[in-house]
C-alpha cells in the first residue's frame, strides 16, 4: 500500500452552505457600488438574457507582456439586453438597523408585462392592480399627494433606487411576465437623483447608457440545476479504492463515535446546482446595437449579425441590443442575468486594457460549423439540386 499524507485541505468550500435550491430565480443584488456625489447621476445595474457562447480573435495590447501584439482566441458570452422600462422610484432612509423604504412613487402608465408579474394567473385575474393609483394623475389632489411623496424622498432620503422591468416580449421566450428589480441611482445630489429617476418614468433605458466598452462588471445569476448528486460530484471528494465494499464514490468516515452526530462540515449527497452566485470582473468586449450588421469588425468586414448560423442552440436569434463579456457566466440559456457595475476600483492592466476585436465567430454552434454566413456556404456548395 502506498504511503500518503495524514492531512489534506478539505474538499469543497463551506462558504456557500447551505447547498440548496435558491428561493429567487433572478440574480439578487445584495450590495450596490458605493455612491460618489462628484460623479454624474447614473444607474448601476441592468438585466439581460443569456443567449449562448462563441469565440473571438483579438490582438493583445499589453506592452512588456509575452503576448503583446500577438493574436489570441478567447471564449465570450452573448447576453441579449433589450432596453429596460422604468416604472417607479423608491427612497430609502438610513437607520441604525439598515435601510428603510420611506416612500414609493409609480409612473402613470404601467405595461402589461409588468402587471403580469403581480399575478399568479393573469387569465383569471381581474387585472385591477394600480387602477386606483393611476387615478391620482387625473385630479389635482392626487397630483399633490405624488408631489408630496417626491418632496419627502428629496428631503429625507439618502438612497434612491428606480424600479425597472425587462421588455420580455422583445425576447423570443415563452414567458410573458417581465422580470422586475430595483436599481440604485448613484452620483450627484439627492435632488438630482430624484429628478433623474422621475425623468425616466415610462421611458426605455438602453444598456449602452449604463455600461461602457472595456468596463469590468459583475454577473449575478442562478446556476444550472443538476438535481440530487452524490458526494464525489457534489463535493469533489476522492474515490475510495477499487475493492471497497458497497461502492467507492463515498466518504469513508462521516465522523467519530462521539459526538454521536454528523457534523455540518462533512460532505453529503444532495442538491447540486440552481444556486445563487455572483461572479465578478467580467470584461465587456462589445456593446452591440440591434441590427443586422453587429457581428462584423474593423478587420472582418463581412456583413453578418452576432447570431451564429442556425441560431444559438436552445435560444434562437438575437434581435435586440446585446452585451459581449469575456468568458462564461452562471446560468443556462434563456436565464435572466443581472449585470452590476463593479464594486472595486480596477487597477490591473488586464482590466484597463483596450479591446479591439479582429474576428467574431458566427459558424454553427450545433455541430462542426464550417461557414460564417449563409452566403459563404452557398458560394462554396454551388447550385444544389431542386427538391
Amino acid at each position: 500500500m502506498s504511503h500518503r499524507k495524514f492531512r489534506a485541505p478539505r474538499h469543497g468550500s463551506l462558504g456557500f452552505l447551505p447547498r440548496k435550491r435558491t428561493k429567487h430565480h433572478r440574480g439578487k443584488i445584495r450590495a450596490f457600488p458605493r455612491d460618489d456625489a462628484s460623479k454624474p447621476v447614473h444607474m448601476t445595474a441592468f438585466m439581460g438574457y443569456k443567449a449562448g457562447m462563441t469565440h473571438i480573435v483579438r490582438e493583445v495590447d499589453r506592452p512588456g507582456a509575452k503576448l503583446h501584439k500577438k493574436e489570441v482566441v478567447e471564449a465570450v458570452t452573448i447576453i441579449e439586453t433589450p432596453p429596460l422600462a422604468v416604472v417607479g422610484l423608491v427612497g430609502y432612509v438610513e437607520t441604525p438597523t439598515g435601510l428603510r423604504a420611506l416612500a414609493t412613487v409609480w409612473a402613470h402608465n404601467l405595461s402589461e408585462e409588468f402587471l403580469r408579474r403581480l399575478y399568479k394567473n393573469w387569465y383569471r385575474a381581474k387585472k385591477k392592480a394600480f387602477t386606483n393609483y393611476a387615478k391620482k394623475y387625473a385630479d389635482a389632489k392626487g397630483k399633490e399627494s405624488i408631489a408630496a411623496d417626491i418632496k419627502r424622498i428629496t428631503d429625507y432620503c439618502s438612497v434612491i433606487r428606480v424600479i425597472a422591468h425587462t421588455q420580455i416580449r422583445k425576447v423570443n421566450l415563452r414567458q410573458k411576465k417581465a422580470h422586475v428589480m430595483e436599481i440604485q441611482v448613484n452620483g450627484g445630489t439627492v435632488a438630482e437623483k430624484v429628478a433623474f429617476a422621475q425623468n425616466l418614468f415610462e421611458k426605455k433605458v438602453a444598456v449602452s447608457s449604463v455600461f461602457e466598452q472595456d468596463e469590468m462588471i459583475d454577473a449575478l445569476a442562478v446556476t444550472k440545476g443538476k438535481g440530487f448528486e452524490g458526494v464525489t460530484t457534489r463535493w469533489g471528494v476522492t474515490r475510495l479504492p477499487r475493492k471497497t465494499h458497497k461502492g467507492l464514490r463515498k466518504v469513508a468516515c462521516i465522523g467519530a463515535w462521539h459526538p454521536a452526530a454528523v457534523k455540518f462540515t462533512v460532505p453529503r449527497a444532495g442538491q447540486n446546482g440552481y444556486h445563487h452566485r455572483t461572479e465578478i470582473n467580467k470584461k465587456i468586449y462589445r456593446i452591440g446595437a440591434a441590427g443586422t450588421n453587429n457581428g462584423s469588425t474593423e478587420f472582418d468586414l463581412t456583413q453578418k449579425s452576432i447570431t451564429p448560423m442556425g441560431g444559438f442552440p436552445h435560444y434562437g436569434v438575437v434581435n435586440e441590443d446585446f452585451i459581449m463579456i469575456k468568458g462564461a457566466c452562471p446560468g443556462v440559456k434563456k436565464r435572466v442575468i443581472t449585470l452590476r457595475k463593479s464594486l472595486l476600483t480596477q487597477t490591473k492592466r488586464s482590466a484597463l486594457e483596450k479591446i479591439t476585436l479582429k474576428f467574431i465567430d458566427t459558424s454553427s454552434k450545433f455541430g462542426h460549423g464550417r461557414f460564417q454566413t449563409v452566403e459563404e456556404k452557398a458560394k462554396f456548395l454551388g447550385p444544389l439540386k431542386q427538391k
Side-chain angles (χ1 to χ4, degrees):
M1 187 173 174
S2 62
H3 172 73
R4 63 155 291 167
K5 294 188 295 182
F6 294 109
R7 293 174 182 275
R10 68 160 289 114
H11 288 274
S13 171
L14 297 178
F16 296 103
L17 292 180
R19 291 200 179 191
K20 63 180 188 179
R21 289 191 294 272
T22 181
K23 292 197 295 286
H24 33 253
H25 182 78
R26 176 181 58 77
K28 181 181 179 183
I29 296 181
R30 297 191 173 103
F32 283 95
R34 186 168 287 163
D35 196 4
D36 184 357
S38 63
K39 291 181 179 174
V41 185
H42 61 277
M43 283 168 60
T44 53
F46 210 82
M47 281 183 288
Y49 296 92
K50 183 172 176 177
M53 294 187 74
T54 184
H55 65 264
I56 57 97
V57 177
R58 71 180 184 93
E59 196 174 85
V60 177
D61 179 26
R62 215 176 297 157
K66 285 185 177 179
L67 279 175
H68 183 53
K69 296 289 183 191
K70 288 190 169 63
E71 287 186 349
V72 291
V73 178
E74 289 173 334
V76 292
T77 302
I78 308 298
I79 299 169
E80 192 169 10
T81 51
L84 293 185
V86 176
V87 291
L89 75 95
V90 194
Y92 289 89
V93 289
E94 287 179 359
T95 71
T97 54
L99 295 176
R100 179 175 70 83
L102 182 72
T104 307
V105 177
W106 297 92
H108 184 195
N109 299 305
L110 304 175
S111 69
E112 186 197 295
E113 295 170 305
F114 170 71
L115 294 174
R116 276 177 180 270
R117 173 55 62 186
L118 310 177
Y119 291 96
K120 185 80 173 173
N121 188 330
W122 176 254
Y123 173 72
R124 289 188 176 165
K126 293 183 177 175
K127 307 176 180 57
K128 302 283 272 185
F130 285 98
T131 49
N132 286 338
Y133 192 91
K135 290 173 186 172
K136 287 187 177 184
Y137 283 92
D139 60 347
K141 196 175 181 183
K143 286 179 181 175
E144 279 176 24
S145 73
I146 291 169
D149 279 343
I150 286 171
K151 189 174 186 311
R152 281 178 71 215
I153 291 171
T154 310
D155 291 346
Y156 301 111
C157 293
S158 55
V159 174
I160 308 298
R161 293 177 184 170
V162 296
I163 300 168
H165 69 82
T166 57
Q167 297 185 79
I168 201 160
R169 283 284 173 97
K170 293 202 167 193
V171 185
N172 291 321
L173 306 179
R174 289 201 185 111
Q175 189 172 323
K176 297 174 186 175
K177 281 185 188 181
H179 290 98
V180 187
M181 74 175 292
E182 286 184 10
I183 300 173
Q184 191 158 305
V185 177
N186 280 359
T189 62
V190 173
E192 288 170 343
K193 287 186 177 83
V194 173
F196 173 83
Q198 206 179 356
N199 190 42
L200 289 176
F201 277 12
E202 298 179 33
K203 291 183 182 171
K204 308 296 183 277
V205 180
V207 68
S208 55
S209 65
V210 179
F211 299 124
E212 295 174 358
Q213 171 78 24
D214 305 327
E215 189 179 348
M216 298 292 265
I217 61 172
D218 303 336
L220 301 88
V222 175
T223 61
K224 184 191 287 189
K226 312 280 181 144
F228 194 100
E229 300 243 57
V231 277
T232 308
T233 303
R234 193 179 185 220
W235 290 96
V237 299
T238 310
R239 286 168 51 199
L240 299 176
R242 183 185 62 80
K243 295 177 77 171
T244 310
H245 183 55
K246 287 191 176 176
L248 48 79
R249 294 172 66 88
K250 294 171 179 285
V251 174
C253 175
I254 60 169
W257 191 320
H258 291 291
V262 179
K263 291 189 73 175
F264 76 97
T265 54
V266 178
R268 306 291 272 162
Q271 172 67 27
N272 192 22
Y274 204 74
H275 309 309
H276 184 282
R277 293 290 179 263
T278 301
E279 291 190 7
I280 66 169
N281 294 347
K282 304 287 183 187
K283 194 172 181 74
I284 296 177
Y285 274 14
R286 171 171 286 197
I287 296 175
T292 53
N293 192 28
N294 49 25
S296 56
T297 66
E298 198 180 326
F299 299 88
D300 175 27
L301 300 175
T302 313
Q303 297 273 324
K304 59 182 183 178
S305 77
I306 195 70
T307 308
M309 287 184 67
F312 281 104
H314 303 281
Y315 187 84
V317 180
V318 172
N319 293 316
E320 296 297 318
D321 300 348
F322 68 89
I323 197 165
M324 180 193 287
I325 60 171
K326 182 185 176 183
C329 80
V332 292
K333 282 86 170 175
K334 300 180 185 172
R335 185 154 293 169
V336 63
I337 311 288
T338 305
L339 305 167
R340 178 189 65 189
K341 282 184 175 287
S342 179
L343 304 184
L344 314 169
T345 305
Q346 300 292 342
T347 54
K348 283 191 173 181
R349 287 173 70 196
S350 57
L352 304 173
E353 184 183 348
K354 294 276 178 245
I355 301 297
T356 307
L357 301 182
K358 282 196 163 184
F359 170 76
I360 301 168
D361 183 65
T362 55
S363 64
S364 173
K365 304 296 163 202
F366 200 81
H368 301 282
R370 289 177 60 190
F371 308 106
Q372 295 295 318
T373 60
V374 176
E375 292 76 23
E376 185 187 328
K377 184 177 180 180
K379 191 177 178 183
F380 179 84
L381 295 176
L384 298 174
K385 183 183 175 183
Q386 296 294 316
K387 288 182 180 177

